[in-house]
Amino acid sequence: MRVTCHVNGEQRFADDVWPGESLLHVLRERMGLPGAKNACEQGECGSCTVLLDGVAVCACLVAAGQAEGRDVVTVEGLADGDALDPVQQAFLDAGAVQCGFCTPGLVVAVHDLLERDASPSEADVREALAGNLCRCTGYEKILDAVRLASGRAGGTP
Ligand code: FES
Ligand code: FES
């Protein structure tokens, strides 16, 4: 089947999508968008987080057909040309990236959180990111990045 959706501001389609194929697979393998990572494919790690109609979801758990006609934003869609999204910049500045495998999903999740609440409490940050696993950083630098992004946006976490 053909799946057509709006991805990072553009109308995109993929042909010959099989019914059980995930949105993550379509994004990565058919649309040339490898930013969302494929780690567990079970909804456990958050590395594949994208926004679907503005809601953060694990793209590995979304059937591609469910994205028909909907709006998808991946980590590639957050930057404005060469200008990084403020959350991406905060991750760099805080040293919150090691191997980087978890980073795209975390950036999308933090972006989503700060869109909803520019000044989240520490508990709210931890809860919002509970589904995003990182095996490298010990999370402290990631929390620093969230504080940095929030502070730069005018929040006071
Ligand atoms: S790859 Fe989707 S949650 Fe891990
Ligand atoms: S930086 Fe390596 S998994 Fe998070």
Side-chain angles (χ1 to χ4, degrees):
M1 64 178 172
R2 169 174 284 199
V3 172
T4 304
C5 51
H6 207 237
V7 182
N8 298 336
E10 293 179 10
Q11 194 78 359
R12 300 287 304 267
F13 66 86
D15 282 326
D16 301 323
V17 176
W18 59 283
E21 192 166 334
S22 70
L23 174 60
L24 178 62
H25 192 269
V26 167
L27 291 170
R28 288 179 55 84
E29 308 300 335
R30 298 182 185 274
M31 294 184 174
L33 294 167
K37 295 291 179 277
N38 181 357
C40 72
E41 282 194 291
Q42 296 181 4
E44 298 287 346
C45 74
S47 66
C48 62
T49 304
V50 301
L51 302 177
L52 182 62
D53 286 346
V55 176
V57 297
C58 292
C60 71
L61 294 183
V62 176
Q66 290 178 286
E68 176 66 31
R70 298 174 74 180
D71 190 61
V72 180
V73 177
T74 71
V75 70
E76 289 96 337
L78 297 182
D80 182 9
D82 288 338
L84 294 179
D85 175 81
V87 176
Q88 292 174 311
Q89 190 64 54
F91 268 67
L92 281 181
D93 294 343
V97 181
Q98 288 190 27
C99 83
F101 207 82
C102 67
T103 307
L106 274 160
V107 165
V108 173
V110 172
H111 184 90
D112 174 56
L113 170 65
L114 296 182
E115 284 283 303
R116 289 183 283 111
D117 180 358
S119 183
S121 68
E122 184 86 8
D124 288 342
V125 173
R126 289 177 182 269
E127 183 175 340
L129 302 185
N132 291 80
L133 304 184
C134 174
R135 65 182 180 180
C136 303
T137 65
Y139 298 99
E140 283 306 319
K141 296 287 188 185
I142 291 169
L143 295 173
D144 288 346
V146 180
R147 294 183 194 108
L148 189 58
S150 174
R152 287 174 175 172
T156 52

